[in-house]
Amino acid sequence: MNALLAEIPSPSQSVWHLGPFPVRAYAIAILLGIVVAVVITQRRWKERGGDPETVLDIVFWAVPFGIVGGRLYHVVSSPDAYFGPGGDPWKAFAIWEGGLGIWGAVALGAVGAWIGCRRAGVRFASFADSVAPALLVAQAVGRLGNWFNQELFGAPTTLPWGLRIDDAHLPAGYDPGTLFHPTFLYEMLWNLAAAALIVWLDRRFRLGHGRVFWLYVMTYTVGRLWIELLRIDPAETVLGLRLNVWTSLIVGLGALVAFVVVGRRNPGRETTVLLAPPSTQDDEAEASEPSR
């Protein structure tokens, strides 16, 4: 029992084959995270007065945009594996091997969600507030894919929850048996705790007009900042710091400013998730009808 508590083992396999078709743990984790996020968002959307089926219409736009954005950010922030010495540019398209940058996923995913909201006739800010804690839960589930792939772990550690990495995945210069910080686990726990905190704050103070989403960005960036400083995987650096560290600092401060400004302009929560209340839509329809 003590030996089991002395380390966290890595999964021995991350790909299973059903005949000629590979089933990858990373893809399963991403898909499971999306499903969980949709279920949570539908429940929160209904609590805000929206139709749960509308969430599926919006997700239809948000998910593809988010996947493309996540991959683009990953390639830009870690380009050596694709465009550096010995790199393979075609692997930039091999999304099934892992590698999605959360900031790109959120940025382009938001564009897709905005398109979906406009087409559905609902407020983008209301949807963003509904989906915010669900994103954290989805990100927590998605980190399991990093565990199976034995990637994105932290620096060596002697802590009893150190992560054991197979020799085939060890970074150069580290001896077999070296234990590393399980940053996938740190981020999972941080995200789940942040999601619970956001849900409580939302219910306690009835936040709206996008403030729940900005709260999500703030809580996530605080966690990502210290977790990123533990990681040792190759990444672009700016002024001695990893690009994701700078991104967390800048985006987190921007979210704080947005949270304060929106709160002063629009305290409380919207009375409807629709772009225009039904009564207003009916009045406009009647006004457009020709008189008889």
Side-chain angles (χ1 to χ4, degrees), residues 182-245:
T183 49
F184 83 92
L185 180 60
Y186 296 165
E187 187 166 329
M188 281 184 65
L189 297 176
W190 181 274
N191 288 349
L192 293 175
L197 175 64
I198 289 174
V199 169
W200 180 81
L201 291 173
D202 184 25
R203 292 177 177 174
R204 174 67 176 80
F205 299 102
R206 292 189 59 79
L207 301 174
H209 301 281
R211 283 194 294 166
V212 182
F213 179 80
W214 293 123
L215 192 59
Y216 147 70
V217 176
M218 283 189 288
T219 55
Y220 178 70
T221 52
V222 170
R224 185 61 184 266
L225 181 62
W226 65 267
I227 293 171
E228 193 70 29
L229 290 172
L230 290 174
R231 283 170 46 172
I232 58 174
D233 52 292
E236 287 294 290
T237 60
V238 178
L239 299 178
L241 291 176
R242 295 165 67 96
L243 177 60
N244 282 330
V245 172

Side-chain angles (χ1 to χ4, degrees), residues 27-129:
I28 293 174
I30 296 298
L31 291 175
L32 181 59
I34 292 172
V35 171
V36 172
V38 169
V39 172
I40 295 174
T41 304
Q42 284 183 315
R43 180 174 179 178
R44 287 177 52 79
W45 185 247
K46 184 177 180 180
E47 291 174 351
R48 276 173 151 75
D51 180 0
E53 294 301 318
T54 303
V55 173
L56 296 177
D57 297 333
I58 300 171
V59 167
F60 175 81
W61 289 91
V63 169
F65 274 72
I67 291 175
V68 171
R71 188 60 176 178
L72 286 173
Y73 185 89
H74 167 75
V75 172
V76 170
S77 60
S78 304
D80 290 345
Y82 312 104
F83 307 107
D88 183 358
W90 287 108
K91 282 196 173 183
F93 300 96
I95 193 171
W96 54 87
E97 294 183 358
L100 290 175
I102 184 60
W103 301 120
V106 171
L108 273 191
V111 173
W114 181 84
I115 295 173
C117 287
R118 296 294 295 183
R119 291 174 62 89
V122 298
R123 298 176 185 271
F124 174 66
S126 299
F127 179 79
D129 284 343

Side-chain angles (χ1 to χ4, degrees), residues 12-18 21-26 96 148-149:
S12 59
Q13 189 174 359
S14 63
V15 183
W16 300 267
H17 289 83
L18 296 178
F21 302 103
V23 178
R24 302 179 184 273
Y26 185 87
W96 54 87
F148 273 89
N149 282 356

